[in-house]
Amino acid sequence: MTSSDYDPASEGAETDFARRMSYGDYLALDSILGAQHPLSEAHDEMLFIIQHQTTELWMRLAIHELSAARRAIAKDEVAPAMKMLARMSRIFEQLNNAWDVLRTMTPSEYTRFRSQLGQSSGFQSRQYRLIEFLLGNRNHAMLKPHAHDVETTKLLEAELATPSLYDEVLRLADRNGLKMPAAVLARDVRETHSFNEGVLQAWRIVYEAPETHWMLYELAEKLVDFEDYFRRWRFNHVTTVERVIGFKRGTGGTGGVSYLKRMLEVELFPELWRVRTIL
C-alpha cells in the first residue's frame, strides 16, 4: 500500500463531521480566514494584513497570560505566575520573528497600497495599549486615540485603576520581608511607576544574596527576561519601519521612526535593570 492509499478511518480516525464539531468549527476558522479584506490589488497588502492580525492574536494571549500572572502574584501564588511569565517571553519571541517576514516587503511594494490605510496605525491598537498599561507604562495621553470608542475607553480606564504587574510584584516582595518604601506601596496606581532609590536598594538585597531570597530573585529575573524580549520587539519595530518607509511620518500621524525610537527609552522595571550597576 502506498502512502496515497492510506485511509486514516481504517485506524479509527473520525471523518464524518456532519453532526460533530470539527477542527474548523472549534477554531472558528471561517471567521478568522475570512477576515482578510485587502483594499487594493497590491500583492503585498495580504502580508501586511495577516502580519498585523496575527500580532493582535498573540497580544490577545499576552493579555490573558499577564492578567493571570498578576492575579496569581496578588494571591502569593508565585509558581504559576512564573510559568505564565516564561510563556510571555516565548510569545514575544514569536512576535519578534514575525518582523522578519514583514521585512521582506520593500518600500516600493508598500507604497502600492499605503494610501489605502488612511489614518489607521498600530499606534491605535487597543490591545497594545492594554499591555502597556498592564506592565505599568501608564501614559494617559495614550487614551486619546480611543476616545471615540466608549467600551475601549472603559476597558483602559479600568486597567489604569488596577495595580500594574510590577506594583503587585513590589507588594509581594514587601509581604515576604523585603521592605519597600511606603510611598511606593501607597502611590496612585493610575500613574507610571518611576525609579525609586528605596526600591533599588531592596532589590540589591535580593541580588546580593539570591540563595536567601530565591523566590524573589527568580521572579525578578523572569521580569527582566520578559522585558528583554519586549525591548527587542520594540527595536525590531523601529528597524522594520525605517527599512520600509524611512523617516516618513506614520499613517496615524506620529513621527514614525522618531516616535518609535522614543519608545525604546521606556523602562518597565527600572530598578531591576539598574541594580546590576551597583552589585
Side-chain angles (χ1 to χ4, degrees), residues 124-276:
Q124 301 145 13
S125 167
R126 73 174 182 180
Q127 291 201 124
Y128 177 68
R129 194 64 53 220
L130 187 57
I131 289 172
E132 287 268 6
F133 285 2
L134 246 163
L135 293 172
N137 184 19
R138 300 185 159 193
N139 183 351
H140 292 222
M142 296 306 180
L143 288 169
K144 294 177 183 177
H146 308 286
H148 67 287
D149 185 334
V150 175
E151 290 306 312
T152 294
T153 298
K154 286 181 180 178
L155 177 69
L156 295 174
E157 288 282 5
E159 177 55 44
L160 284 177
T162 306
S164 72
L165 175 67
Y166 193 44
D167 285 326
E168 291 294 1
V169 168
L170 297 183
R171 294 177 182 190
L172 171 78
D174 189 74
R175 290 195 299 273
N176 282 269
L178 192 68
K179 189 65 176 176
M180 290 290 171
V184 171
L185 297 176
R187 73 180 192 84
D188 181 0
V189 297
R190 289 179 55 83
E191 304 301 325
T192 299
H193 168 77
S194 56
F195 170 78
N196 182 278
E197 182 66 27
V199 174
L200 175 66
Q201 294 303 324
W203 284 122
R204 181 177 189 168
I205 293 171
V206 171
Y207 276 82
E208 286 183 336
E211 63 283 350
T212 304
H213 308 280
W214 186 258
M215 179 267 285
L216 293 174
Y217 175 70
E218 191 176 17
L219 179 56
E221 282 300 290
K222 278 287 187 290
L223 292 178
V224 171
D225 191 42
F226 165 64
E227 187 170 358
D228 190 341
Y229 278 98
F230 194 55
R231 286 183 178 190
R232 288 186 229 176
W233 183 79
R234 280 175 164 160
F235 178 79
N236 279 322
H237 192 180
V238 173
T239 303
T240 302
V241 170
E242 186 172 355
R243 178 169 176 165
V244 176
I245 69 170
F247 289 88
K248 292 177 184 174
R249 187 166 290 277
T251 50
T254 68
V257 168
S258 63
Y259 165 75
L260 293 172
K261 284 185 175 179
R262 188 174 295 113
M263 294 301 100
L264 294 177
E265 299 172 1
V266 174
E267 289 183 309
L268 298 173
F269 318 123
E271 296 85 6
L272 293 181
W273 290 96
R274 300 189 202 184
V275 71
R276 285 144 169 79

Side-chain angles (χ1 to χ4, degrees), residues 22-36 53 57:
S22 71
Y23 173 79
D25 296 333
Y26 176 70
L27 296 177
L29 290 182
D30 286 346
S31 297
I32 294 172
L33 299 179
Q36 295 75 46
Q53 287 181 340
L57 284 173

